CSV table of all heavy atoms in Angstrom, one decimal:
chain,number,residue,atom,x,y,z
K,130,LYS,N,-1.0,-1.2,1.9
K,130,LYS,CA,-2.4,-0.9,2.1
K,130,LYS,C,-3.3,-2.2,2.1
K,130,LYS,O,-4.4,-2.2,2.7
K,130,LYS,CB,-2.9,0.0,0.9
K,130,LYS,CG,-2.8,-0.6,-0.4
K,130,LYS,CD,-2.9,0.5,-1.5
K,130,LYS,CE,-1.7,1.3,-1.7
K,130,LYS,NZ,-1.7,2.4,-2.6
K,154,VAL,N,1.4,5.4,5.5
K,154,VAL,CA,2.5,5.8,4.6
K,154,VAL,C,2.0,6.1,3.2
K,154,VAL,O,2.6,6.8,2.4
K,154,VAL,CB,3.7,4.8,4.6
K,154,VAL,CG1,4.7,5.1,3.5
K,154,VAL,CG2,4.4,4.8,5.9
K,155,ASP,N,0.9,5.5,2.8
K,155,ASP,CA,0.3,5.8,1.5
K,155,ASP,C,0.2,7.4,1.5
K,155,ASP,O,-0.2,8.0,2.5
K,155,ASP,CB,-1.1,5.2,1.4
K,155,ASP,CG,-1.4,4.6,0.0
K,155,ASP,OD1,-0.7,5.1,-0.9
K,155,ASP,OD2,-2.2,3.8,-0.1
K,156,SER,N,0.5,8.0,0.4
K,156,SER,CA,0.6,9.5,0.4
K,156,SER,C,-0.7,10.1,0.7
K,156,SER,O,-0.8,11.1,1.5
K,156,SER,CB,1.1,10.0,-1.0
K,156,SER,OG,0.2,9.5,-2.0
K,157,GLU,N,-1.8,9.5,0.2
K,157,GLU,CA,-3.2,10.2,0.5
K,157,GLU,C,-3.5,10.0,2.0
K,157,GLU,O,-4.1,11.0,2.6
K,157,GLU,CB,-4.3,9.4,-0.3
K,157,GLU,CG,-4.1,9.5,-1.8
K,157,GLU,CD,-3.0,8.6,-2.4
K,157,GLU,OE1,-2.4,7.8,-1.6
K,157,GLU,OE2,-2.7,8.7,-3.6
K,158,HIS,N,-3.1,8.9,2.6
K,158,HIS,CA,-3.5,8.7,4.0
K,158,HIS,C,-2.6,9.5,4.9
K,158,HIS,O,-3.0,10.0,6.0
K,158,HIS,CB,-3.5,7.2,4.3
K,158,HIS,CG,-4.4,6.5,3.3
K,158,HIS,ND1,-4.0,6.3,2.0
K,158,HIS,CD2,-5.7,6.1,3.4
K,158,HIS,CE1,-5.0,5.8,1.3
K,158,HIS,NE2,-6.1,5.6,2.1
K,178,ILE,N,-9.8,11.9,-1.5
K,178,ILE,CA,-8.4,11.5,-1.9
K,178,ILE,C,-8.3,11.7,-3.4
K,178,ILE,O,-9.3,11.5,-4.2
K,178,ILE,CB,-8.1,10.0,-1.5
K,178,ILE,CG1,-9.0,9.0,-2.1
K,178,ILE,CG2,-8.0,9.9,0.0
K,178,ILE,CD1,-8.6,7.6,-1.7
K,179,THR,N,-7.2,12.1,-3.9
K,179,THR,CA,-7.0,12.4,-5.3
K,179,THR,C,-6.4,11.2,-6.0
K,179,THR,O,-5.7,10.4,-5.4
K,179,THR,CB,-6.1,13.6,-5.5
K,179,THR,OG1,-4.8,13.4,-4.9
K,179,THR,CG2,-6.8,14.9,-4.9
K,207,TRP,N,4.1,9.3,-10.7
K,207,TRP,CA,4.9,8.6,-9.6
K,207,TRP,C,5.7,7.5,-10.2
K,207,TRP,O,5.3,6.8,-11.1
K,207,TRP,CB,3.9,8.0,-8.6
K,207,TRP,CG,3.0,8.9,-7.8
K,207,TRP,CD1,1.8,9.4,-8.2
K,207,TRP,CD2,3.2,9.5,-6.5
K,207,TRP,NE1,1.2,10.2,-7.2
K,207,TRP,CE2,2.1,10.3,-6.2
K,207,TRP,CE3,4.3,9.4,-5.6
K,207,TRP,CZ2,2.0,11.0,-5.0
K,207,TRP,CZ3,4.2,10.1,-4.4
K,207,TRP,CH2,3.0,10.9,-4.1
K,209,MET,N,6.8,4.0,-9.2
K,209,MET,CA,6.4,3.0,-8.1
K,209,MET,C,6.7,1.6,-8.7
K,209,MET,O,7.1,1.4,-9.8
K,209,MET,CB,4.9,3.2,-7.8
K,209,MET,CG,4.5,4.6,-7.5
K,209,MET,SD,2.8,4.7,-6.9
K,209,MET,CE,1.9,4.5,-8.5
K,213,ILE,N,1.5,-1.7,-8.4
K,213,ILE,CA,0.7,-0.6,-8.0
K,213,ILE,C,0.6,0.4,-9.2
K,213,ILE,O,-0.4,1.1,-9.3
K,213,ILE,CB,1.3,0.1,-6.7
K,213,ILE,CG1,0.4,1.3,-6.3
K,213,ILE,CG2,2.7,0.6,-6.9
K,213,ILE,CD1,0.9,2.0,-5.0
K,217,SER,N,-2.9,1.6,-10.7
K,217,SER,CA,-3.3,3.1,-10.8
K,217,SER,C,-4.0,3.3,-12.2
K,217,SER,O,-4.9,4.1,-12.3
K,217,SER,CB,-2.0,3.9,-10.8
K,217,SER,OG,-1.4,3.8,-9.5
K,222,ASN,N,-6.0,0.7,-7.5
K,222,ASN,CA,-5.2,1.3,-6.4
K,222,ASN,C,-6.0,2.2,-5.6
K,222,ASN,O,-6.0,2.2,-4.4
K,222,ASN,CB,-3.9,1.9,-7.0
K,222,ASN,CG,-3.1,2.5,-5.8
K,222,ASN,OD1,-2.8,1.9,-4.9
K,222,ASN,ND2,-2.7,3.8,-6.0
K,223,LYS,N,-6.8,3.1,-6.3
K,223,LYS,CA,-7.6,4.1,-5.6
K,223,LYS,C,-8.7,3.3,-4.9
K,223,LYS,O,-9.1,3.7,-3.8
K,223,LYS,CB,-8.2,5.1,-6.6
K,223,LYS,CG,-8.4,6.5,-6.0
K,223,LYS,CD,-7.2,7.1,-5.2
K,223,LYS,CE,-5.9,7.1,-6.0
K,223,LYS,NZ,-4.8,7.7,-5.2
K,226,GLU,N,-7.4,2.2,-1.8
K,226,GLU,CA,-7.2,3.3,-0.9
K,226,GLU,C,-8.4,3.9,-0.2
K,226,GLU,O,-8.4,4.4,0.9
K,226,GLU,CB,-6.4,4.4,-1.6
K,226,GLU,CG,-5.0,4.0,-2.0
K,226,GLU,CD,-4.2,5.1,-2.7
K,226,GLU,OE1,-4.8,6.2,-3.0
K,226,GLU,OE2,-3.0,4.9,-3.0
K,229,GLU,N,-9.0,1.5,2.5
K,229,GLU,CA,-8.0,1.8,3.5
K,229,GLU,C,-8.4,3.0,4.3
K,229,GLU,O,-8.2,3.1,5.5
K,229,GLU,CB,-6.6,2.1,2.7
K,229,GLU,CG,-5.4,2.3,3.6
K,229,GLU,CD,-4.2,2.7,2.8
K,229,GLU,OE1,-4.3,3.0,1.5
K,229,GLU,OE2,-3.1,2.8,3.4
K,271,MET,N,7.5,9.7,-2.6
K,271,MET,CA,7.1,9.0,-1.4
K,271,MET,C,8.0,9.2,-0.2
K,271,MET,O,7.7,8.9,0.9
K,271,MET,CB,7.0,7.5,-1.7
K,271,MET,CG,5.8,7.1,-2.5
K,271,MET,SD,4.3,7.7,-1.8
K,271,MET,CE,4.2,6.7,-0.3
C,18,LIG,MG1,-1.5,6.2,-2.6
Side-chain angles (χ1 to χ4, degrees):
K130 62 194 79 185
V154 170
D155 219 338
S156 56
E157 298 76 4
H158 306 76
I178 60 175
T179 60
W207 296 88
M209 308 186 286
I213 181 176
S217 297
N222 180 50
K223 211 52 53 181
E226 290 181 359
E229 184 186 9
M271 283 309 292

